[in-house]
Amino acid sequence: MKRKVLLIYTGGTIGMEKDYETGSLRAFDFGNIFEKMPEMKLMECEVFVHPFAQPLDSSDMGPEEWRMIANLILDNYKKYDGFLILHGTDTMSYTASALSFMLKGLTKPVILTGSQLPIGDLRTDAKENLLTSLYYASLYEENEAVIQEVAIYFEYKLLRGNRTLKYSAEYFDAYASPNYPILGQSGVHLKIDKDNLFRCDGRIEFHVDEHISEDVLFWRIFPGMKLNHFKEIPKMKVLILQVFGSGTIFSSEKTLETLQQIRNNGTEIVVVSQCISGGISFGKYENSNIFSRIGAISGRDMTAESAITKAMHLIDNPNYHGSFADNFARNICGEISE
């Protein structure tokens, strides 16, 4: 019996083709994907296509679209064995991270992919990404899905979605997972490293927690920055600071005073690193102790994309018990190292 995969097309470069008269890119009707890629009919799975009514550039993807995708998966969860989401590359890591927190009790593969070149381009990376993603989205052993989490497949690598970041707008190998090993790799043989796969609490029935708050602000610290600008910012629930190295910031009484004032206003402060690899370690250097003094929360080795979407999901979420700080520090779905 062939496994059934629901292919959800949201938009992005992968669904574009070039108009050779004008030279411009345009979206094609993704309902005709089997004509564009007849090799899909040779796959050992049945593919059903659900395109967005209006394909979106990934820069237009946000909480509303995340909820749409999550609820589409919920509505079709029992009908399909896996899900493949075609997505623009610029914000794919945000969507993958958000979905990883929203899809509770997930025991089926949810794979996201896209491409750097349109599917109709002679040198496109779209076909390989799409075909291999379908393989991972339909991979079962002994009637159990091998992948049971939200993942990104791109240029021969399968990565945990909430551990990824897009590091290149130029190369086909556009995504990295700097603080977690790859889940699988395709070559002559398609491989999976099962020791790296995530498994949820099997007692939880699959459901969607679509709570997403937009009352989160992200700010990158830079040398010479005037922190008094923070006093002009309206109060927000969570401020995420991307700081130097393993968690340092310029040390002065003014810095302490400003950050403490933000905390006194009821804002949670989360600290993540500007480094691609490694993470936050309060106390390693003297200039990180300020964050311990004001009760900031360490983002440890989370990506910025994951920290942002996790904060959006947790803040004021009635489905979580305990404090925001305690829940943020907890590993929910493999987004943070134990």
Side-chain angles (χ1 to χ4, degrees):
M1 181 182 68
K2 286 189 173 182
R3 296 289 173 181
K4 296 180 179 180
V5 176
L6 181 62
L7 188 157
I8 302 169
Y9 171 61
T10 69
T13 301
I14 194 169
M16 307 295 283
E17 62 182 352
K18 181 176 287 188
D19 184 325
Y20 286 97
E21 291 186 3
T22 65
S24 300
L25 293 176
R26 64 185 182 190
F28 69 84
D29 181 0
F30 221 84
N32 298 325
I33 184 61
F34 296 102
E35 296 177 14
K36 286 281 181 186
M37 290 185 58
E39 53 266 58
M40 285 177 62
K41 298 177 181 178
L42 302 177
M43 297 287 297
E44 295 182 3
C45 62
E46 292 185 74
V47 182
F48 301 82
V49 180
H50 182 102
F52 270 24
Q54 181 64 44
L56 296 176
D57 187 276
S58 70
S59 60
D60 288 320
M61 297 289 287
E64 181 180 347
E65 289 72 32
W66 301 339
R67 294 185 187 100
M68 286 173 56
I69 295 170
N71 283 307
L72 186 58
I73 292 172
L74 176 64
D75 293 342
N76 291 278
Y77 194 72
K78 294 182 179 179
K79 292 165 52 179
Y80 296 97
D81 301 294
F83 300 87
L84 173 58
I85 302 165
L86 302 187
H87 196 289
T89 59
D90 287 343
T91 65
M92 191 188 300
S93 289
Y94 288 95
T95 298
S97 296
L99 289 175
S100 74
F101 300 120
M102 298 168 73
L103 302 177
K104 304 298 188 185
L106 184 65
T107 58
K108 295 182 180 182
V110 175
I111 313 295
L112 288 88
T113 196
S115 65
Q116 296 285 64
L117 290 176
I119 204 165
D121 196 280
L122 291 175
R123 296 180 52 249
T124 187
D125 56 329
K127 292 187 176 182
E128 196 282 324
N129 285 349
L130 175 53
L131 292 173
T132 306
S133 292
L134 284 172
Y135 171 83
Y136 283 123
S138 60
L139 184 60
Y140 274 66
E141 290 182 356
E142 298 180 357
N143 211 35
E144 180 180 81
V146 175
I147 312 298
Q148 299 186 16
E149 58 182 289
V150 180
I152 286 178
Y153 178 79
F154 219 88
E155 188 66 7
Y156 310 121
K157 297 194 296 289
L158 184 70
L159 309 170
R160 175 163 298 158
N162 57 34
R163 290 288 194 148
T164 63
L165 54 86
K166 183 181 179 183
Y167 78 95
S168 176
E170 170 69 16
Y171 300 115
F172 287 151
D173 185 17
Y175 284 86
S177 176
N179 289 323
Y180 196 78
I182 64 174
L183 307 182
Q185 192 163 13
S186 67
V188 175
H189 302 286
L190 294 167
K191 298 179 179 179
I192 289 285
D193 192 331
K194 294 183 179 179
D195 290 338
N196 296 335
L197 298 177
F198 180 78
R199 289 292 185 267
C200 69
D201 184 342
R203 297 168 296 179
I204 301 174
E205 184 176 354
F206 177 74
H207 64 284
V208 169
D209 181 348
E210 62 177 37
H211 179 90
I212 294 287
S213 169
E214 297 176 37
D215 201 1
V216 175
L217 181 66
F218 181 87
W219 207 288
R220 182 181 176 98
I221 299 297
F222 59 88
M225 177 181 175
K226 295 185 181 300
L227 289 183
N228 59 335
H229 291 317
F230 282 131
K231 297 179 180 178
E232 307 301 322
I233 300 171
K235 180 182 175 182
M236 79 293 297
K237 293 290 181 67
V238 179
L239 172 63
I240 300 177
L241 295 180
Q242 192 178 44
V243 303
F244 311 126
S246 59
T248 61
I249 192 171
F250 22 87
S251 178
S252 69
E253 284 301 315
K254 187 66 174 177
T255 301
L256 176 60
E257 177 189 331
T258 302
L259 295 181
Q260 187 64 64
Q261 181 178 332
I262 294 172
R263 289 288 292 122
N264 292 343
N265 287 337
T267 297
E268 299 283 1
I269 295 180
V270 173
V271 182
V272 297
S273 177
Q274 295 176 12
C275 297
I276 291 177
S277 179
I280 297 299
S281 179
F282 292 160
K284 183 175 182 180
Y285 294 100
E286 179 65 29
N287 279 30
S288 67
N289 289 332
I290 186 173
F291 295 118
S292 298
R293 292 171 66 184
I294 65 169
I297 304 164
S298 171
R300 290 154 63 187
D301 64 349
M302 294 178 66
T303 64
E305 294 86 342
S306 188
I308 290 168
T309 53
K310 185 176 184 178
M312 295 172 77
H313 179 64
L314 289 178
I315 196 70
D316 292 336
N317 190 331
N319 298 310
Y320 286 82
H321 303 291
S323 69
F324 173 86
D326 288 343
N327 285 318
F328 194 91
R330 184 163 60 90
N331 181 24
I332 295 176
C333 49
E335 76 282 0
I336 193 168
S337 296
E338 298 287 357

